[in-house]
Amino acid sequence: MSKKAVKIVISGPVGAGKTTLIRTLSQTPVVNTDELSTEVIGKTHTTVALDFGQIDLGDYMVHIFGTPGQERFDFMWDELSRGALGLLLLVPCDRPEDFPHARKILEYVTSRHPVPFVIASTRHDIAPKGWQAKDIASYFNLPEDQVVPINAENRESVRSAVVCLMKQVESAVSAA
Ligand SMILES: Nc1nc2c(ncn2[C@@H]2O[C@H](COP(=O)(O)OP(=O)(O)OP(=O)(O)O)[C@@H](O)[C@H]2O)c(=O)[nH]1
Ligand SMILES: [Mg+2]
């Protein structure tokens, strides 16, 4: 039996780890549109259009589209979310100043594309004193199990967040 193709979108603020996550996870060469940036503090490159990768998850071939984080590219959030069955929102656990922007992305995408979503909080490995997943869940008014703490550079960790999202996608599809 052929696998079902599923599109998911990954979004979140600048530097949350979107490009890193897709590079960590993808089983095929990634499409990446990072350019040198002088505007983003603390990193040399930023995504200007999209990232794309794929992962085989049993019955599903998951096509992963990553958005730019910078607000000047916000039109891409909508473009890339079209046809997606789920949203993985990355939130850097040590940058609460970015949480309002993450909330804005979440509201923007889910109001136009009402799909299941999971928050993956990143950077716990390098910022152990950052916000814990349960506190981030509370900030976003979500149940604790809707926030998964990850290290965007660790394959198993990233895979667990995508599997968590895919469970929600499966429930939504079977309820429809
Ligand atoms: N160790 C570790 N590093 C991380 C994690 N998440 C992000 N980083 C690092 O943060 C930096 C920025 O990550 P990117 O993947 O470029 O962030 P992005 O979300 O794609 O950013 P934009 O494209 O500018 O919106 C990279 O050096 C990553 O390695 C994490 O969970 N653990
Ligand atoms: Mg990026």
Side-chain angles (χ1 to χ4, degrees), residues 32-120:
N32 170 245
T33 61
D34 273 27
E35 296 288 344
L36 263 178
S37 170
T38 50
E39 292 165 45
V40 179
I41 296 162
K43 76 204 261 291
T44 54
H45 288 75
T46 190
T47 305
V48 296
L50 80 159
D51 297 303
F52 174 73
Q54 293 188 90
I55 180 172
D56 184 336
L57 281 184
D59 291 343
Y60 301 103
M61 179 55 75
V62 184
H63 300 252
I64 309 166
F65 288 77
T67 73
Q70 288 188 66
E71 238 167 316
R72 66 192 172 111
F73 299 121
D74 61 1
F75 59 94
M76 289 302 293
W77 305 343
D78 195 26
E79 288 296 332
L80 295 175
S81 301
R82 214 159 282 152
L85 295 186
L87 165 70
L88 189 63
L89 182 75
L90 302 197
V91 174
C93 75
D94 55 338
R95 297 193 188 142
E97 64 276 19
D98 287 347
F99 293 2
H101 183 208
R103 196 203 297 269
K104 183 176 171 187
I105 297 171
L106 181 62
E107 284 168 0
Y108 184 99
V109 173
T110 55
S111 65
R112 287 163 178 78
H113 310 275
V115 292
F117 66 88
V118 164
I119 290 183

Side-chain angles (χ1 to χ4, degrees), residues 13-20 43 46-47 69 122-123 125 151-153:
V14 169
K18 303 174 294 291
T19 299
T20 306
K43 76 204 261 291
T46 190
T47 305
T122 58
R123 303 171 53 88
D125 56 308
N151 168 0
E153 296 189 334

